[in-house]
Each structure stands twice: as structure tokens, then as C-alpha cells.
Amino acid sequence: MIDAIKESISKDFTNLSFDVTSWKEVLKDSLEVSVFHLQSSINYYAAYHEGTNISFLLHENNTPLVVFPLFAYTENNQWILSSNGEGIIAPLFIQGTPKKLKKRLEKQIAEIIYIIAHELKIENVRFFEPNLILSNWYLLWLEKNSKDFLKYQLSIDLRKSIEDIRLGFRKSYKPLVNKALKEWQIEVCEKDHDQTFEEFRLLHLEAAGKETRSRESWTIQKEQIKNKEAFLVTVRDESKLIGAGFFNYTRDMGMYSVAAYKRELFDRPIGHAVQMIAIEKLKELGCKTYYLGQKASSGLSTEKEISISHFKEGFASNIVAQPNLQVTI
């Protein structure tokens, strides 16, 4: 069904291409590239949700000008369109794209979303805005929205010095970080990617007690490390892996993705060490902002989500409001 929709759209929009060979070229010449715009991230989210990647590029005068991350998946027998499992993010243009041309192409992408939603019988589509200033793309949908709401993202300004970042930690975290760094061998995985990542996957399986997602999604994350779009921070007690955290990044932003720790050491500051080394690594890579994840709230989140959020908030220097809206198609 998806293939038939793609074929039909390709005939109607001759400047559109589902061939994403030039994707990285656009990202290379764009401003503020988010993790959600990486090809590998879209592939990961599509695999995680057992969906189909339908991302595309738009060309102007045979030049790739904009990328649009999109995949479709089903939940409770209903199709959903998304960029990351939460909503749809704005398309990313090469810098210097004229404002009038940008608006025209954004309206074209909006038309394509309507076509796909109609074909898949989707009633509602969600959008989110990751930037502090609302984009024209978001404002386009705001005029049509049936419901809007805010989520809250925990972040660290990596343009500050490491000393200033540490000053922003929760007071009780500073001695825990120092203790962890002295007690265990903590490092960023720079070699033996296959072996180390498999240890991490098995540790996650042990901690979760079951397979929580497809093997394909794990393979994609391993390849992200090899392609320098992610890194793994490992914590070892001698040679034994007792914890690890996986982090995605672009030249502009870093993002915490997933971690696993030995259950019997849950009350030890393993996670504190992982976060500290990740912050240092992201700063070394030149990222401007590190997003630790969403701030949970009572009444809307589980106890586990609230506990994880509380832990992350101890490192965050900022809590950023992230606008979201829903459009009825």
C-alpha cells in the first residue's frame, strides 16, 4: 500500500524524490541539524515502531534543496505519520534558501502529508517544534490545529565550560560523579564496536527481562556508532560491563537515547558517571546543546518515567518548553 502511494506521489510531484542518496549533502549545507533529521535516526524509529520509511527530498532546478523525515506505522490498527514516534518535525532546507521558495515548498510538503493521510485514512496528525522560536512550518499548521499542548525538554547548554556545567548539577550529584569516576573504568567506546555493542544489547536484555524491540533497531544503532552519529559510554568493574549509555549527535546537538545498568547495582552512581562522560564527549564534538529527554509530570507519567526524569533533571541546566499540536485531517 505504501509503495503504491509513493509511486502515485512521485508522478504528481516531479521535483520529489524518495531516493535519499543526496540526503547528507543537504544536511551538510543546512543550519541547526537535529538528530531527528539524520537518515539513520529515521531508519531507527521506523524499525523501532515496525513501520515504513517514506522520507523524501525536494529539488529545485535539479538541486536537492530540502529533506523531510517521515515514516508511517500502525498502532491499534490505525496508521500514524511521524518523524520520531512523537510527531512530525519541520523539513530541513539548505541555508540561504529564499523565503518565498521555502514557503512554496513547505506548502507542497503539507499537500503531500494530506494526500498520504487521506490514502491511509489517518484522522489526526501531530507536529512538534524543537526550536525556541516557532518556525513558519509550525505556524502553517498552527492555523489549522485542533489541539495544542506543551511538552518540556531537559537540556544542557554545552557552550558553557565544563566547570560551569558541573556547577549546575544537583548538589548531591557532584560527590557521586567524583566517586563513580574513581571507582570504575569509564570510557567512550572507540574500538571493538561489534563486541562492545553486543555486550550492551545483552545487558539491556538482562535489565529489561525481555526483548523490548527488534534486532534491526539495535543494528542501526551500532552502525550509527561506526558512522560517527552516536557513541557508547561504558562502565566496567574490572572487565565486567556493569552499565552503558547510548547517545546520538549531529554537529549541533546531542541526545540521550538509551542506557542499561546491572539491576543489583541500581543504587550505585553508575548513571551519574555515564552522563558526566557523555557531556564531556558532546562538548568535545562541538555540540551546542545536549537534550537529556522529556520532563515527566505527575498524573501524566508512570512512576518509572517520573523517577528517570528526576534523575536526568539533576544534570539539566535548562527546561525548554516544546510546542506540540494536532491537526485533524
Side-chain angles (χ1 to χ4, degrees):
M1 187 177 192
I2 298 290
D3 287 340
I5 294 172
K6 289 169 68 174
E7 185 177 348
S8 175
I9 291 172
S10 295
K11 289 178 181 177
D12 292 338
F13 299 92
T14 56
N15 66 330
L16 178 147
S17 175
F18 289 105
D19 178 357
V20 294
T21 307
S22 303
W23 193 279
K24 287 187 177 180
E25 290 179 29
V26 175
L27 265 58
K28 193 174 180 180
D29 200 23
S30 299
L31 295 172
E32 298 298 327
V33 179
S34 79
V35 165
F36 305 120
H37 286 100
L38 294 175
Q39 278 179 278
S40 59
S41 289
I42 308 154
N43 289 334
Y44 166 75
Y45 288 118
Y48 184 93
H49 291 278
E50 299 180 349
T52 303
N53 191 339
I54 49 177
S55 301
F56 57 84
L57 298 91
L58 294 182
H59 296 74
E60 188 72 15
N61 298 323
N62 295 319
T63 300
L65 203 67
V66 55
V67 297
F68 188 59
L70 186 70
F71 72 97
Y73 67 102
T74 57
E75 188 175 274
N76 300 322
N77 296 317
Q78 296 290 321
W79 282 99
I80 296 172
L81 290 177
S82 186
S83 296
N84 66 345
E86 296 288 331
I88 294 176
I89 197 170
L92 188 65
F93 289 81
I94 64 171
Q95 57 183 319
T97 303
K99 189 174 182 180
K100 188 179 290 187
L101 175 58
K102 192 174 179 181
K103 280 190 173 183
R104 174 166 64 80
L105 293 178
E106 284 177 338
K107 287 181 179 179
Q108 181 180 333
I109 295 171
E111 186 180 349
I112 292 166
I113 289 175
Y114 273 106
I115 291 170
I116 296 173
H118 175 74
E119 292 295 327
L120 296 178
K121 296 180 172 55
I122 295 172
E123 294 183 2
N124 298 296
V125 179
R126 286 191 172 184
F127 300 85
F128 71 98
E129 174 62 72
N131 301 308
L132 294 177
I133 298 175
L134 298 182
S135 62
N136 287 327
W137 165 262
Y138 190 83
L139 293 174
L140 184 158
W141 293 103
L142 186 60
E143 294 176 0
K144 310 171 189 295
N145 93 94
S146 54
K147 180 172 71 172
D148 60 87
F149 54 98
L150 292 175
K151 290 185 179 181
Y152 301 92
Q153 298 293 333
L154 304 167
S155 70
I156 294 176
D157 184 354
L158 295 174
R159 291 169 295 189
K160 295 181 179 179
S161 68
I162 288 295
E163 292 73 21
D164 284 343
I165 290 172
R166 285 181 65 115
L167 284 173
F169 290 176
R170 187 175 291 142
K171 188 176 180 181
S172 61
Y173 278 19
K174 297 166 191 174
L176 292 174
V177 168
N178 293 334
K179 179 183 178 183
L181 293 175
K182 290 177 182 177
E183 189 169 346
W184 297 301
Q185 180 186 346
I186 306 151
E187 59 186 12
V188 177
C189 175
E190 301 282 7
K191 59 183 180 178
D192 300 326
H193 298 108
D194 291 339
Q195 180 182 333
T196 304
F197 193 82
E198 181 62 10
E199 285 184 90
F200 172 51
R201 188 188 70 81
L202 292 174
L203 179 61
H204 188 275
L205 175 61
E206 177 189 322
K210 62 179 180 179
E211 289 276 7
T212 58
R213 51 189 171 92
S214 70
R215 186 65 67 91
E216 181 187 0
S217 69
W218 287 103
T219 300
I220 292 169
Q221 287 187 318
K222 181 174 68 176
E223 291 304 309
Q224 286 181 317
I225 295 176
K226 293 181 179 180
N227 294 329
K228 301 188 183 305
E229 295 176 334
F231 61 84
L232 187 68
V233 176
T234 59
V235 184
R236 294 184 185 275
D237 187 357
E238 295 182 352
S239 61
K240 184 180 180 182
L241 185 69
I242 59 173
F246 182 88
F247 302 83
N248 291 101
Y249 67 91
T250 67
R251 66 166 187 260
D252 300 303
M253 70 172 276
M255 189 179 77
Y256 171 66
S257 178
V258 61
Y261 307 106
K262 283 286 186 184
R263 278 174 169 262
E264 62 269 27
L265 299 174
F266 184 75
D267 59 339
R268 305 288 292 280
I270 304 174
H272 299 73
V274 168
Q275 289 295 332
M276 187 67 247
I277 297 301
I279 290 166
E280 292 176 347
K281 180 64 177 179
L282 290 168
K283 184 167 176 60
E284 177 190 320
L285 289 166
C287 298
K288 290 175 270 195
T289 309
Y290 168 38
Y291 291 97
L292 294 92
Q294 187 175 320
K295 176 177 170 57
S297 55
S298 59
L300 297 173
S301 308
T302 65
E303 286 187 18
K304 181 180 178 181
E305 289 169 339
I306 291 172
S307 175
I308 293 172
S309 175
H310 178 73
F311 166 73
K312 294 177 184 176
E313 195 170 346
F315 293 96
S317 54
N318 300 303
I319 300 176
V320 182
Q322 183 186 79
N324 287 252
L325 59 84
Q326 178 174 292
V327 175
T328 300
I329 302 296

